[in-house]
Amino acid sequence: MRYFSIIFVLCLTLSMVQAQQTSFVNPFIGTSDDHGQTDPSATIPFGMIKPGPETIPRGNGGYDYQSQQLKGFSQTRMSGVGCIGVGGNLLITPFVGTACKTLKMDKASETAIPGYYSVTLDNQLKVEITTGRTAAIYRFTYPATETAGIKINFKHSYGKHIAEEHSIIGDNAVKGFVRSACTCDLGSYRFYYYIEKDKSTYKPEDNNSELLWKFQTEPNEQIILKIGLSSVSAEEAEANLKKECSNQSFEQIRTNARIAWENLLGQIQVETSDEDLKTSFYTRLYHACQTPFTINDYSGSYKGSDGKVYSQQLPYYHGWSIWDTYRTKYPLLSIVCPTEYKHMISSLAELYKQGKPRSATKTEPFLTTRTEHSIITILDALQKGMFDGSLDELLPLMLKEAEDISNDSPDKALERGYDFWGVSELAGKMGNKELKKEFSLRSKEYRPIWLQKFKDIGPTSDIMHGDGLYEGTIWQYRWFVPHDFDWVIATLGSKKKVLSELDYFFENNLFNMGNQPDIHVPFLYYYLGAPWKTQKLVRQILLEPTTNYYGTHEKWEKPYIGKIFNTTPQGYLKEMDDDAGTMSSWFVLSSIGLFPVCPGIPYYWINAPVFDTVTLHPTSQQEFKIHVNRPDAECIYIQKAILNGKVLNRSWLSYDEIMQGGDLTLELGKLPNKHWGHNTDFIKSLFKK
């Protein structure tokens, strides 16, 4: 595809002038037990194939850092999306001796960097993996043996296995398809593959849904195995494999993958003497750019969620988890990689035309999860000038979706109000005043429920799943009306009253950074004219030990007291899924001092960065630089802001101001400047634009 060729050349050129950000990425962060549910698979940004290790026991993404036992290497996964994960297909197990033996890893040999994974096994067999966008290449280095081999398990899957078919081609290739259940066994996906290896072999053994290749090897003999994927056909999978792997060596493909990551990670450059902080930052930016997947074949073809085959030369993205990612990830990607982001939004709009449900269909072309709040995601892109599709065609489909949004629990009522507000704003963009008014009124239908359940805080307000809430407490959900927070302030009586209740919320450790419903709440102080409270609080969450009582489903008897974001395999709180990059994106945005006011409104709060300098490269022609003048480490409060040489008294930047490039200087001090950013009159005007 022409687009991907252009991007590769651009990656190669830009990498020559950018620093080696990949050296600060540690893919093992968040891979231990239930502390992030990330994985160390080899991948490129938004790549379709993600080959990586499968341990016993395994984590959500197939891997647990604490384990030394290995089942093999699967080709698909979606980072930290809950339940038992999704993917884990096409399990490849190299062996010496018997194919049934569980393998043991030499943990000291294990290596993972962007685009590459390697480990040596106890049988002296070394495994190396690197990858392109749709195809991966394995390099196995065997000891001298007469009983070497490779086993492929076509049924392996994290969720329910539904079907598979495979056909052996000669002695060294196999093709077919697999079909498995999506996350939480809701819906299913089906994709095709083509696998080939380079060593002549005995005739392969086909045992039901397992294939065995057996051969002899000399000392340190290398066997190359390649895998191509497609959503359309095995023939397209073979063509993808040949496009990415046929004329390039393992090392060339590995270099290409690293260049692709250097290009993307280099879109944000941060300066600090704290290398651990830098590792945390770039690893979380890396985690944020794993999904969605680009699933076009190089011919342009792809399958939609309706099972039909489509074709386009521009990238088509799939693999959504929008219930989480709309909050932080897409506002981040709109700055970091606007070209890719724009194609993601176009792909999301196409999903509506394919009959988009809230969860996965039974005919998904690849791994996916949930698509709630797509309305807000597309509105946010439209407000930023990053969606140029037809609203005339799209809005009726959104109206149909909006009418089907559930209202059967208090939290869903609040979230539905936000989506209805999104419909109202989109209708206004079309000039449909009647529809705008209708859904503006309907966006406030949550208010009686809020008054009944959330206004008065009592003894039951700190119960996880209380009153049928999905994942959280009354305290944590009560703040989730970002489109109508002025009403909440008025209803509680005054800004002073809300400030007092927010202070109580944080001082009594009722906040849960381990899950999504209240991750925006630390920034609500900006609405109340007290941004200095956010500046202190967010820095604590990012860098310092805090007291945390909550998992995903329960409140713990004893709190965890420590840092929330770490650079170890226990990279997050216990039970804190990264949720397809949602939490990583929160860290990235908060640490550079730009946080979305309210997705759907194209503005970002200005917070105090934890770095000395932040340089954004929103386009190849533009640079937006944030200079932080911090006399010493205790200076954490914004005293003064200067944008392009002019004093800036407001506490926000528009998306356009960031993307046009410029210089923002922030003077920090030890004591709060309660005059900077205290005027909140502009907030109502933002929501009227």
Side-chain angles (χ1 to χ4, degrees), residues 14 28 135 250 351 403 406 450 453 515 543 554 593 607 630:
L14 290 178
F28 292 117
F250 183 96
L351 197 60
E403 294 296 346
S406 175
W450 195 93
K453 299 290 185 180
N515 209 358
L543 303 179
E554 63 181 358
N607 194 39
R630 183 186 291 110

Side-chain angles (χ1 to χ4, degrees), residues 601-622:
I601 298 292
Y603 295 86
Y604 295 75
W605 296 122
I606 302 170
N607 194 39
V610 297
F611 301 103
D612 300 326
T613 305
V614 176
T615 306
L616 305 174
H617 301 275
T619 69
S620 58
Q621 292 81 32
Q622 302 294 343

Side-chain angles (χ1 to χ4, degrees), residues 556-615:
W556 305 318
E557 289 186 13
K558 295 183 178 180
Y560 162 77
I561 301 174
K563 290 180 64 176
I564 294 172
F565 298 96
N566 295 289
T567 53
T568 65
Q570 293 83 18
Y572 300 80
L573 289 176
K574 179 75 172 177
E575 299 182 34
M576 180 177 171
D577 295 348
D578 191 36
D579 277 306
T582 300
M583 297 310 201
S584 286
S585 298
W586 189 97
F587 182 95
V588 171
L589 288 164
S590 299
S591 69
I592 65 173
L594 296 172
F595 197 86
V597 170
C598 167
I601 298 292
Y603 295 86
Y604 295 75
W605 296 122
I606 302 170
N607 194 39
V610 297
F611 301 103
D612 300 326
T613 305
V614 176
T615 306

